[in-house]
Amino acid sequence: MPKVKVIGAGLAGSEAAYQLAKRGVDVELYEMRPGKMTPAHSTGAFAELVCSNSLKSLDGASAAGTLKFELLALDSLLIGEAIRASVPAGKALAVDREAFSKGVTDAIASLPNVTVVEEELEEIPDGPAIIATGPLTSDALAGSIRRELGSDFLSFYDAAAPIVAAGSIDRSRTFAQSRYDKGEGADYLNAPFDKDSYERFVDELVAAERVVARDFERKELFSACQPVEEIARTGMDALRYGPLKPVGLTDPSTGRRPWAAVQLRAENAECTAYNLVGFQTNLRFAEQERVFRMIPGLEDAEFERFGVMHRNTFIDSPRALGSTFEIPAKPSIRFAGQITGTEGYCEAIASGLMAALATYAQLEGKELPALPRETFSGSLMAYATSPETERYQPMHVNCGLMPQLECRIKSKRERYAAYSLRAREAIAAYRGRLIELGLMESPAEIAIPEALALYIGGGEPNA
Ligand SMILES: Cc1cc2nc3c(=O)[nH]c(=O)nc-3n(C[C@H](O)[C@H](O)[C@H](O)COP(=O)(O)OP(=O)(O)OC[C@H]3O[C@@H](n4cnc5c(N)ncnc54)[C@H](O)[C@@H]3O)c2cc1C
């Protein structure tokens, strides 16, 4: 069996290297740190967490909590190490970051068939390979990726507007209409402001607390894209003549053009989620919730994703890559982690794990079954690789990506619990299928550490 090169020993690369090695594959793991650092990393350890020490919720009735269940079901090294290194944080999985990275580094170093190469890879290697070099991929390798995929398919920053759940929008305060009635009306909802509510909104937006961008991010980002609060700061009417312009819209409740209007655009064909058009923002998440709920119709909005603006190298995966993040013309070379546009620590771990499974199946000459759409990881992968995904921006797991439930459940908590239950059943069945195909060797039971069973459910998928 040929050696697999894994580039980058971050979250995705470390998980991928482990998954391949434990299946008997020889791995060369390239990591440029500590010889060459990224602007955000500060150690040479594998799986360094560059910012928060939280891997988010463990709550079994949440997307983030269920993703951890799915990863444990597929025997993730990194989730296991995170649990070992965890520190008390209520329902969240927060870790002692040094203990976590050390646990991952030691586990990989102990694998006899992993050779660690401390070197920057400047060119896409020959396959089989997994490129998991993250949001701060070195310039030389980014150049090689751009040459291979085409310059339109690689972005260097992420300026995303918030997304809200469709069911949480008050339809009595919004109206469906495309500007000048062009196109499908249902694709856009409009939230109309009168003069007073608009001015109160602008005042709060300008005064709201922002995230301080890191030095290396500031110049590049703000020259590329103005956050909504920065536009507002230039004058009371700036938004009315910019992203909140009301031209071409008629509010059916007044028969007139509104003073200003926020447009909400459907995120997917099922219209289960809408994004706030032109609302790239650098506000703190809690401030986004507070201020954007002043928009008519969004008073009770549930945010599927908050707006973010940061440095982030990522591929337009839906257009440039295949269904397992492979380069279509070179299918033994695939990408994993944040560079594919899956956002967040656990999402990077999930995509590293899936890239390893796809590579292993390919080496064995077997067909890897697709992850079920009913799982959170499967929904994220489908979103990130479906050619139907438009205006691709990095995304973390959330219920808005999931196929709709068979029945409508009004209570948010119960709805999320239903998504979670369905996902746990689907991942248990998927795991069984991998074992049957000889792609996974594991005991029949999903091992959920006792301390976590309370939160993310026991061994039984429907427990
Ligand atoms: C400033 C910043 C803050 C963030 N904060 C959070 C947060 O709080 N929570 C969260 O969930 N996510 C956060 N993220 C996103 C975070 O980066 C990802 O969730 C996660 O680290 C992605 O994992 P990864 O494996 O794809 O990349 P990384 O963990 O970054 O790993 C990539 C690895 O590749 C190496 N590498 C790069 N180029 C080369 C090369 N040419 N040759 C060899 N090695 C190379 C790097 O040194 C690195 O070790 C943040 C990102 C940034 C940039």
Side-chain angles (χ1 to χ4, degrees):
M1 211 181 255
K3 269 189 186 167
V4 176
K5 291 190 171 76
V6 176
I7 327 301
L11 296 165
S14 297
E15 184 71 47
Y18 169 79
Q19 293 291 339
L20 285 165
K22 79 165 193 174
R23 287 172 169 81
V25 178
D26 288 335
V27 175
E28 265 177 9
L29 177 59
Y30 286 76
E31 172 52 60
M32 65 181 189
R33 292 178 292 121
K36 179 169 181 177
M37 287 294 194
T38 78
H41 289 84
S42 55
T43 74
F46 297 169
E48 180 181 335
L49 302 177
V50 288
C51 189
S52 163
N53 70 331
S54 169
L55 278 73
K56 295 199 187 149
S57 182
L58 280 168
D59 185 349
S62 72
T66 312
L67 177 61
K68 291 178 187 69
F69 181 93
E70 293 175 13
L71 287 165
L72 285 170
L74 298 180
D75 196 21
S76 159
L77 168 73
L78 269 71
I79 297 296
E81 289 301 331
I83 291 165
R84 264 185 281 285
S86 62
V87 294
K91 273 193 176 184
L93 178 55
V95 299
D96 172 327
R97 65 180 76 235
E98 280 172 26
F100 169 66
S101 285
K102 184 171 182 321
V104 174
T105 311
D106 290 351
I108 290 176
S110 74
L111 294 167
N113 49 345
V114 177
T115 310
V116 177
V117 186
E118 196 196 301
E119 196 177 289
E120 174 190 4
L121 221 79
E122 298 191 345
E123 294 285 335
I124 295 182
D126 291 335
I130 296 176
I131 302 173
T133 43
L136 304 169
T137 293
S138 73
D139 291 346
L141 183 61
S144 169
I145 296 170
R146 200 172 37 204
R147 285 191 296 281
E148 177 70 36
L149 301 178
S151 55
D152 288 351
F153 295 122
L154 191 68
S155 298
F156 290 94
Y157 63 90
D158 172 8
I163 293 178
V164 294
S168 68
I169 301 170
D170 180 350
R171 302 299 172 108
S172 69
R173 306 208 59 199
T174 57
F175 59 95
Q177 188 185 40
S178 288
R179 224 178 272 288
Y180 301 110
D181 289 319
K182 284 187 186 151
E184 294 290 321
D187 285 352
Y188 285 95
L189 293 177
N190 302 282
F193 278 108
D194 61 23
K195 185 168 186 292
D196 284 352
S197 58
Y198 170 80
E199 290 183 353
R200 278 199 302 278
F201 173 71
V202 172
D203 285 343
E204 289 299 324
L205 184 58
V206 167
E209 211 184 325
R210 285 166 292 159
V211 177
V212 179
R214 305 237 188 149
D215 279 350
F216 70 89
E217 296 177 311
R218 226 169 269 158
K219 195 170 117 242
E220 193 176 337
L221 264 176
F222 291 96
S223 62
C225 179
Q226 281 287 308
V228 67
E229 60 275 11
E230 292 298 331
I231 301 174
R233 191 160 288 122
T234 61
M236 183 52 86
D237 284 332
L239 289 177
R240 281 205 323 124
Y241 288 95
L244 273 66
K245 62 178 178 287
V247 291
L249 298 174
T250 307
D251 182 348
S253 70
T254 61
R256 290 200 307 271
R257 176 197 286 185
W259 185 255
V262 174
Q263 283 210 301
L264 302 157
R265 184 170 49 212
E267 263 297 296
N268 50 32
E270 294 104 347
C271 297
T272 57
Y274 282 80
N275 81 65
L276 280 65
V277 179
F279 269 65
Q280 293 82 1
T281 177
N282 217 24
L283 296 191
R284 291 193 176 281
F285 290 176
E287 289 288 80
Q288 291 186 37
E289 207 162 36
R290 180 179 70 78
V291 178
F292 298 159
R293 281 185 174 158
M294 294 174 73
I295 297 170
L298 299 195
E299 293 79 359
D300 296 317
E302 287 167 17
F303 287 80
E304 302 282 15
R305 181 186 75 190
F306 287 104
V308 287
M309 292 188 67
H310 52 214
R311 164 88 180 272
N312 192 356
T313 307
F314 69 98
I315 297 168
D316 186 357
S317 299
R319 264 151 287 281
L321 303 179
S323 62
T324 61
F325 296 116
E326 75 279 12
I327 300 179
K330 297 180 180 169
S332 66
I333 302 176
R334 39 179 61 80
F335 292 87
Q338 182 122 349
I339 195 165
T340 65
T342 57
E343 166 110 23
Y345 297 151
C346 290
E347 287 81 349
I349 296 169
S351 90
L353 198 156
M354 288 314 297
L357 274 178
T359 302
Y360 179 67
Q362 206 168 40
L363 293 173
E364 289 275 291
K366 294 179 181 169
E367 184 91 9
L368 178 70
L371 263 172
R373 276 290 315 269
E374 290 74 19
T375 60
F376 282 91
S377 38
S379 267
L380 182 66
M381 305 292 160
Y383 172 81
T385 57
S386 163
E388 285 169 21
T389 301
E390 289 177 20
R391 301 174 298 273
Y392 185 58
Q393 283 289 331
M395 182 65 86
H396 55 74
V397 292
N398 65 79
C399 293
L401 299 178
M402 298 289 266
Q404 280 179 349
L405 294 165
E406 274 175 19
C407 56
R408 199 172 140 70
I409 302 177
K410 213 165 177 313
S411 144
K412 178 178 165 187
R413 175 99 196 143
E414 286 172 20
R415 194 167 66 247
Y416 284 18
Y419 280 124
S420 168
L421 176 58
R422 190 179 65 173
R424 285 193 279 156
E425 285 172 348
I427 201 72
Y430 183 72
R431 178 178 189 274
R433 185 88 188 97
L434 294 184
I435 295 170
E436 255 171 49
L437 289 169
L439 294 172
M440 181 165 176
E441 264 182 37
S442 264
E445 290 296 305
I446 300 173
I448 301 295
E450 210 177 304
L452 297 189
L454 173 67
Y455 294 128
I456 59 176
E460 289 298 313
N462 52 0

